[in-house]
């Protein structure tokens, strides 16, 4: 297999910082697109994975799955892009394309399983897939996304994970006018959850542990912001929500949020903390509540989300960083100090 070299940032153990390395990318095959990465968002999953908080990381680990770049070459049978186009890559780079999930356009739930953008088996080159903290990526065009005109390419990057991960469950649980919807945690996912739920015309209440984020929550589209450490404020909302989207990256009391649901309401977890979250039986039994989960979204749904974001102007709030600042950015994520997504300006990787 012919390869070309790319620059990247890689973690070599759970405790080592990300450092510059050189990696191989495959030469584009007939259905591939080769993309020079312009921007890559920094998802909390990148941090979980780099530090082996999900206990499955294979090193070296090159995170990054909110990728927007410029197409440089396309394979002989690839028709979706031409050189010079903008293209996106999210959390998925392949799947079996035959199982029931794949046939239903839910490639993220492929039973084979799906090939994720990093830390999955790379069936072409061997070893593990390497993500978007890199100068270039090569991907099957079936797993690439069009970036609609009118979306700023840097701000579009976080849509490819934070955007679709919040959009997909809001759609699946049919959030819309007349519903009261909670979003828990104002980080990368949470701020997109607030924006999408508002664009879908629900009544939106944000729950945050950070009093300093109250004003931002309102500006981003929440009708109301509750500081979740305030028990009296929480009690006012007990048993009143149709749907709650939990976007928290760390340990927290899930029962406090289950208690917000009314009869037949659903709490959907999209946050992926390292340790289990204990659920008290009576948080679910009375009154008949559902506790669910959701992972990213399929490729067609991701394209639908991008088109929705462009049409309704639902775009992430970003802070641009150079590649060299990635370790600082990880530390700031842990301090809940991000407004509200870091995006790496990949031109800096050559600095
Ligand atoms: P993030 O930007 O770091 O935001 C996480 C937010 O959670 C923080 O801003 C904070 O909000 C809240 N939080 C953090 N520590 C907390 C604590 N100890 N107690 C209570 N609240 C706390 O992270 P993200 O990129 O949005 O990702 C959030 C989670 O979703 C991560 O676990 C990530 O791995 C996961 N994720 C899952 C999927 C999926 O497919 N399901 C996709 C992407 C990411 P406040 O300051 O407002 O309290
Ligand atoms: Zn992510
Ligand atoms: Zn499949």
């Amino acid at each position: 297999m012919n390869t070309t070299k790319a620059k990247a940032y890689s973690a070599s153990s759970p405790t080592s910082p990300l450092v510059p390395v050189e990696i191989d990318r495959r030469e584009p095959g007939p259905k591939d697109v080769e993309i020079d990465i312009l921007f890559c968002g920094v998802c909390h999953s990148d941090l979980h994975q780099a530090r082996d908080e999900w206990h499955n990381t294979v090193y070296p680990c090159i995170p990054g799955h909110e990728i927007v770049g410029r197409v440089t070459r396309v394979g002989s049978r690839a028709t979706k892009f031409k050189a010079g186009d903008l293209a996106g890559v999210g959390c998925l780079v392949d799947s079996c394309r035959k199982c029931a999930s794949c046939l239903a356009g839910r490639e993220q739930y492929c039973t084979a399983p799906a090939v994720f953008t990093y830390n999955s088996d790379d069936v072409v080159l061997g070893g593990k897939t390497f993500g978007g903290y890199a100068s270039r990526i090569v991907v099957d065009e079936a797993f690439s996304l069009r970036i609609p005109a009118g979306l700023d390419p840097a701000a579009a990057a976080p849509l490819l994970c934070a955007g679709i991960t919040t959009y997909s469950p809001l759609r699946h649980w049919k959030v819309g006018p007349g519903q009261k919807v909670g979003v828990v945690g104002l980080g990368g996912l949470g701020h997109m959850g607030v924006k999408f739920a508002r664009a879908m015309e629900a009544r939106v209440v944000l729950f945050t542990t950070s009093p300093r984020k109250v004003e931002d929550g309102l500006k981003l589209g929440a009708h109301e912001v509750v500081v979740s450490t305030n028990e009296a404020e929480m009690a006012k909302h007990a048993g009143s929500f149709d749907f709650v989207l939990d976007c928290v990256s760390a340990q927290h009391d899930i029962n406090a949020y289950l208690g917000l649901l009314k009869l037949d309401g659903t709490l959907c977890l999209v946050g992926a903390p390292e340790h289990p979250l204990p659920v008290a039986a009576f948080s679910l039994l009375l009154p008949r509540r559902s506790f669910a989960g959701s992972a990213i979204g399929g490729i067609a749904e991701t394209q639908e989300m991008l088109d929705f974001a462009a049409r309704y102007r639902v775009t992430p709030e970003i802070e641009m960083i150079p590649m060299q600042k990635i370790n600082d950015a990880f530390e700031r994520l842990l301090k809940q100090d991000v407004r509200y997504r870091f995006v790496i300006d990949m031109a800096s990787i050559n600095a």
Side-chain angles (χ1 to χ4, degrees):
M1 166 59 62
N2 290 330
T3 58
T4 57
K5 296 285 178 204
K7 292 183 176 178
Y9 265 60
S10 163
S12 58
S13 83
T15 52
S16 40
L18 274 73
V19 295
V21 292
E22 222 178 38
I23 57 168
D24 291 324
R25 294 296 197 190
R26 65 179 188 251
E27 276 288 303
K31 297 287 277 177
D32 282 341
V33 286
E34 180 189 65
I35 300 166
D36 263 359
I37 299 176
L38 296 171
F39 303 106
C40 185
V42 178
C43 179
H44 206 113
S45 300
D46 299 349
L47 186 164
H48 289 308
Q49 193 78 68
R51 299 190 177 178
D52 198 21
E53 291 174 357
W54 296 331
H55 312 286
N56 67 355
T57 305
V58 176
Y59 295 95
C61 171
I62 296 173
H65 57 203
E66 294 183 339
I67 300 165
V68 171
R70 192 70 71 187
V71 173
T72 44
R73 291 188 289 170
V74 300
S76 55
R77 291 194 292 115
T79 55
K80 196 165 169 177
F81 295 104
K82 56 182 185 341
D85 288 345
L86 277 178
V89 181
C91 306
L92 296 167
V93 291
D94 212 342
S95 72
C96 85
R97 311 181 198 204
K98 300 191 292 261
C99 73
S101 299
C102 286
L103 293 176
R106 305 286 179 212
E107 297 90 351
Q108 75 274 35
Y109 303 124
C110 174
T111 52
V115 184
F116 293 94
T117 305
Y118 55 82
N119 202 57
S120 271
D121 291 334
D122 185 331
V123 290
V124 183
L125 287 185
K128 292 286 168 180
T129 52
F130 290 149
Y133 293 2
S135 56
R136 190 176 338 110
I137 192 164
V138 178
V139 64
D140 188 305
E141 67 170 1
F143 287 79
S144 62
L145 284 312
R146 281 177 288 99
I147 305 300
L151 278 185
D152 169 52
L159 292 170
L160 293 159
C161 176
I164 185 60
T165 302
T166 50
Y167 179 90
S168 180
L170 291 171
R171 279 288 189 233
H172 180 75
W173 275 277
K174 300 189 169 50
V175 160
Q179 292 190 343
K180 188 174 172 188
V181 170
V183 175
V184 187
L186 194 63
L189 266 56
H191 93 292
M192 292 314 300
V194 167
K195 289 189 177 210
F196 277 126
R198 181 70 191 246
M200 293 171 192
E201 298 180 34
R203 176 162 184 85
V204 184
V205 183
L206 168 71
F207 294 87
T208 180
T209 59
S210 309
R212 66 183 188 281
K213 295 183 186 172
V214 170
E215 207 173 300
D216 281 357
L218 295 169
K219 269 195 229 147
L220 293 168
H223 293 94
E224 206 177 322
V225 180
V226 174
V227 177
S228 53
T229 46
N230 182 330
E231 278 178 32
E233 278 291 300
M234 290 293 283
K236 273 199 241 163
H237 289 277
S240 67
F241 281 80
D242 297 280
F243 185 75
V244 174
L245 190 64
D246 183 326
C247 306
V248 177
S249 54
Q251 292 325 103
H252 59 293
D253 177 14
I254 203 74
N255 300 291
Y257 299 102
L258 286 167
L260 297 171
L261 298 173
K262 65 187 198 190
L263 174 65
D264 290 332
T266 297
L267 170 66
C268 177
L269 192 66
V270 286
E274 178 176 8
H275 300 294
L277 301 169
V279 175
F282 281 96
S283 296
L284 293 173
L285 305 190
L286 284 172
R288 189 171 61 194
R289 293 167 169 144
S290 299
F291 185 23
S294 181
I296 49 173
I299 296 298
E301 192 181 29
T302 303
Q303 191 64 59
E304 174 193 307
M305 177 276 309
L306 287 165
D307 296 342
F308 180 101
R311 179 160 176 211
Y312 294 99
R313 301 182 194 285
V314 181
T315 50
E317 310 295 314
I318 63 169
E319 178 179 336
M320 197 88 85
I321 59 164
M323 186 72 253
Q324 293 76 6
K325 288 275 184 210
I326 187 61
N327 297 300
D328 295 344
F330 276 9
E331 291 310 314
R332 285 181 58 194
L333 283 183
L334 290 175
K335 287 191 243 158
Q336 299 167 223
D337 173 26
V338 53
R339 293 184 177 213
Y340 279 91
R341 195 57 136 190
F342 297 118
V343 171
I344 301 162
D345 179 356
M346 206 52 74
S348 63
I349 205 166
N350 295 309

